[in-house]
Each structure stands twice: as C-alpha cells, then as structure tokens.
Amino acid sequence: MSEPTDLGELVAVARATRERAYAPYGRFLVGAAVASDGGVFAGANVENASYGVSICAERVAAAAAVASGARRIDAVAVAGPGPRPTPPCGACRQFLYEFGPDMIVVSEAPGGDRSQWRLSELLRDGFGPAELEGSA
Ligand code: THU
C-alpha cells in the first residue's frame, strides 16, 4: 500500500478470507491480510493431516506478498474465531519481523473487540537481518 493503511479495510479483508481457511483438525479458522509496499495480500490458515506442517494465516498472507515482489509490510490484520482477538503466534511474530519490525498488528474478534500492537512490542529485541550483518 502506498497510501496510508486503512486498518478497517485490512480487517475486513482478513475477516472475509477467514471463510476460506482449511482447518478441519483444529477447527480454529483464521484469516489475515497484510498491507505491503506492493499492496494488500490475504491469507488463511492451511492445516494438514501431518499436523506439524500446518501454516498460520499470517504467514500465508506475508508469503503471498513477498512472492509478488513486496519487501516491506506496514500492517497485518488478523481475524480469528474469538471470543477474544487472536494474537499472532510466536513463529508468525518472527516471520513477520523480517519485513517490518515496527508494523502495526491489529486483531479483531467476531464481536468487534479489537487489539492493536506494534510488532516490536510483541517481539522485543527480535532477531532480524541486521543481526547477520558483519557476522563471521
Ligand atoms: N493460527 C493462525 O492461523 N494464526 C494465529 O494467529 C494463531 C493460530 C492457526 C494455526 C492452526 O491452524 C489453528 O489456528 C489452531 O492453532
């Protein structure tokens, strides 16, 4: 997104994409949307019969953005089942950190309850590309 991120729209994309989640095992359906330097990209969680290879909605959305050429993510919206706003898991926090350590993370429960953070609050002192610079 080159224009300022409209978080309400981003949440709406996440909410709509949640309907396409493939979550027959956990039955915890999640949608996500990222606002990137290449536009908005959506994702949903995709589970697998080999449970451990399942992937979260946030990483699907971020990977779609990057595969389209985006390299910076300004905001991510998450839409889970509630009753509380779903916070991104630790693996997703690390995955997203690569593309915007200070990005806005907004999560909305079905009833409309919203939580909002900076990724840097959710993952303090994160490990990013800078850590690899100048390493032996
Ligand atoms: N999940 C997400 O997609 N995003 C989150 O932020 C939390 C968890 C998925 C993974 C799994 O398919 C299901 O929700 C239950 O953990």
Side-chain angles (χ1 to χ4, degrees):
M1 268 185 162
S2 44
E3 69 271 24
T5 304
D6 182 328
L7 292 178
E9 275 176 33
L10 205 61
V11 167
V13 173
R15 177 72 48 215
T17 309
R18 179 175 180 267
E19 291 169 21
R20 297 201 288 277
Y22 177 75
Y25 308 110
R27 299 189 192 287
F28 190 92
L29 278 61
V30 185
V34 298
S36 77
D37 56 345
V40 171
F41 294 86
N45 55 332
V46 182
E47 295 186 346
N48 192 274
S50 178
Y51 304 149
V53 302
S54 300
I55 184 165
C56 294
E58 296 91 322
R59 274 177 284 157
V60 171
V66 173
S68 266
R71 289 294 181 269
R72 193 190 72 243
I73 295 175
D74 299 314
V76 57
V78 183
R84 290 178 300 282
T86 299
C89 81
C92 287
R93 293 177 195 198
Q94 176 63 36
F95 193 88
L96 291 165
Y97 193 84
E98 184 85 10
F99 306 105
D102 211 30
M103 75 175 72
I104 293 167
V105 180
V106 58
S107 181
E108 194 181 88
D113 267 10
R114 263 198 207 182
S115 294
Q116 191 172 313
W117 311 267
R118 289 280 177 177
L119 182 57
S120 49
E121 293 174 62
L122 297 178
L123 186 66
R124 273 197 60 191
D125 299 327
F127 184 87
E131 310 308 321
L132 299 176
E133 280 165 23
S135 60

